[in-house]
Amino acid sequence: DARVTQTPRHKVTEMGQEVTMRCQPILGHNTVFWYRQTMMQGLELLAYFRNRAPLDDSGMPKDRFSAEMPDATLATLKIQPSEPRDSAVYFCASGLGQGRAFFGQGTRLTVV
Amino acid sequence: GESVGLHLPTLSVQEGDNSIINCAYSNSASDYFIWYKQESGKGPQFIIDIRSNMDKRQGQRVTVLLNKTVKHLSLQIAATQPGDSAVYFCAEMENTDKLIFGTGTRLQVFP
């Protein structure tokens, strides 16, 4: 049963620390998304890739966030330095285009 | 859960009734419109999609209607069941594969 795998599921960190979230997309999917879900903003698109190339990261605070795909089996989202306002659930999703994206279980990040 | 307690509009229906969830979208250039379901503690799950050149599409117990004139999308769920209780999101996608989500609606099903 193919699925998107995100690690860690939960992360508590102190303000100023670096946070790295990882995502293993479904094998063969060519599009990968990173979303942030908060109470106030719903599901915000942070960045997305097609064939490992970043297409749009305009939703991401550039000074502290970075998203990469070192290879087709791994996508990473890094926050450095982290701030309390970054506390949210971060979702990774993969797909083959046409809107049908498969989501992971999310990483719940708490920055204290 | 992972829906993080969103302050959302809520639709309450009785089990067995039909549900209609509405969504307004903004981008006339979107090619696809999609409905997702998010249960507590989980990521969003694809339900059904519709291309911009269609106005209706049916699935199992679900129907999506698209009105491009007024930029309106709706999801109809027939014979709503307790397992349908969740947050429902509409989303739109341009030909660039950029997938943007709208605000959600919480569906509560009562016995």
Side-chain angles (χ1 to χ4, degrees), chain A residues 39-100:
Chain A
M39 187 183 310
M40 301 304 295
Q41 298 292 332
L43 276 160
E44 301 174 81
L45 178 64
L46 297 175
Y48 74 108
F49 298 77
R50 187 195 297 146
N51 296 324
R52 294 178 55 204
L55 289 188
D56 189 330
D57 61 1
S58 60
M60 215 162 58
K62 299 293 191 305
D63 56 337
R64 299 184 300 108
F65 285 59
S66 62
E68 297 178 346
M69 280 201 73
D71 60 61
T73 65
L74 177 64
T76 62
L77 179 66
K78 292 186 180 180
I79 307 174
Q80 170 61 21
S82 57
E83 298 180 2
R85 59 179 169 154
D86 300 329
S87 297
V89 179
Y90 291 81
F91 285 105
C92 174
S94 70
L96 293 168
Q98 300 184 2
R100 189 178 296 204

Side-chain angles (χ1 to χ4, degrees), chain B residues 55-68:
Chain B
D55 53 22
K56 180 178 180 179
R57 189 173 185 204
Q58 288 185 289
Q60 187 175 14
R61 280 201 309 120
V62 295
T63 301
V64 56
L65 298 178
L66 175 63
N67 185 332
K68 292 184 288 295

Side-chain angles (χ1 to χ4, degrees), chain A residues 13-26:
Chain A
T13 192
E14 291 186 344
M15 181 173 61
Q17 296 299 305
E18 177 178 304
V19 174
T20 298
M21 290 169 272
R22 293 177 172 81
C23 169
Q24 181 176 5
I26 293 173

Side-chain angles (χ1 to χ4, degrees), chain B residues 38-107:
Chain B
Q38 187 176 25
E39 297 174 289
S40 181
K42 298 182 178 180
Q45 180 182 13
F46 171 90
I47 302 173
I48 190 169
D49 62 358
I50 187 168
R51 291 198 71 161
S52 59
N53 61 356
M54 301 170 66
D55 53 22
K56 180 178 180 179
R57 189 173 185 204
Q58 288 185 289
Q60 187 175 14
R61 280 201 309 120
V62 295
T63 301
V64 56
L65 298 178
L66 175 63
N67 185 332
K68 292 184 288 295
T69 302
V70 294
K71 296 183 182 177
H72 184 266
L73 189 68
S74 69
L75 177 70
Q76 300 178 1
I77 304 174
T80 313
Q81 302 169 359
D84 296 327
S85 294
V87 176
Y88 290 80
F89 291 95
C90 64
E92 55 187 308
M93 172 177 274
E94 293 182 26
N95 58 8
T96 56
D97 290 339
K98 187 172 185 177
L99 182 60
I100 302 295
F101 281 76
T103 54
T105 297
R106 189 180 304 277
L107 176 65

